[in-house]
Amino acid sequence: MNKNFSKEILIGISVLIALVALFFGINYLKGINIFKAANYYYASYTNVAGLTISSPVTVNGFKVGLVREIQYEYDNPGHIIVELSLDKQLHIPYGTKALLKTDVLGTATIELEMNDTTAFHEIGDKIIGITPAGLMDNLSKDVLPSVAGMMPK
């Protein structure tokens, strides 16, 4: 009787260890560090094509955080709210813009364009979200009209 009880305890402990390892492993693969403190800010966009949860947030090319959550803004139809998880030491000045940039492969990142002010946003504030014109938009505006003009010739 005592031998079966110890086997059941061993099985229970191994299942708990496996669940904890699974939890930390999934968060590690998402890029989320559970033990690192973070501040949360929000940005609103009209088009978030290519942006996914755990996409990087950068300042001057250096990763300072990641996208934590993406939700439709029901209070503001046509807009999507993006929750940014940023390093605790990073203070966001007023007027900072969150540019949604897409590379050639379609992967999107958020680049923070910092402003030079001494007043800072409070944690949980909304940052200005901007989606600049992409490569295909520039191509269709600049190159396609000239190609269409050359077609009759």
Side-chain angles (χ1 to χ4, degrees):
M1 184 75 134
N2 203 5
K3 197 173 194 180
N4 289 339
F5 185 69
S6 64
K7 285 182 182 180
E8 292 169 353
I9 290 177
L10 271 165
I11 291 171
I13 290 172
S14 63
V15 166
L16 284 175
I17 290 171
L19 289 175
V20 168
L22 181 69
F23 173 74
F24 284 110
I26 289 173
N27 284 322
Y28 174 75
L29 290 175
K30 286 182 184 177
I32 300 169
N33 189 351
I34 295 181
F35 300 113
K36 188 175 185 181
N39 292 335
Y40 297 99
Y41 297 94
Y42 299 92
S44 182
Y45 299 98
T46 54
N47 185 3
V48 291
L51 189 69
T52 60
I53 293 175
S54 76
S55 292
V57 178
T58 60
V59 173
N60 298 332
F62 182 75
K63 183 180 173 188
V64 294
L66 52 89
V67 173
R68 181 77 173 177
E69 193 171 331
I70 302 171
Q71 290 184 348
Y72 186 77
E73 246 185 302
Y74 293 104
D75 302 344
N76 192 6
H79 289 80
I80 293 98
I81 189 107
V82 177
E83 183 179 342
L84 309 174
S85 171
L86 303 177
D87 290 341
K88 192 87 164 163
Q89 294 84 17
L90 183 67
H91 299 289
I92 306 294
Y94 281 109
T96 297
K97 297 174 185 156
L99 300 169
L100 180 66
K101 293 188 175 183
T102 307
D103 64 2
V104 178
L105 298 175
T107 306
T109 61
I110 294 181
E111 173 80 28
L112 293 179
E113 196 174 89
M114 300 291 220
N115 196 3
D116 294 333
T117 60
T118 56
F120 298 107
H121 279 285
E122 295 290 323
I123 298 169
D125 280 354
K126 191 181 272 191
I127 302 170
I128 301 166
I130 297 175
T131 308
L135 181 64
M136 291 305 290
D137 294 333
N138 292 337
L139 185 69
S140 65
K141 287 179 186 174
D142 298 338
V143 177
L144 289 180
S146 62
V147 170
M150 291 181 354
M151 290 302 280
K153 297 177 184 179

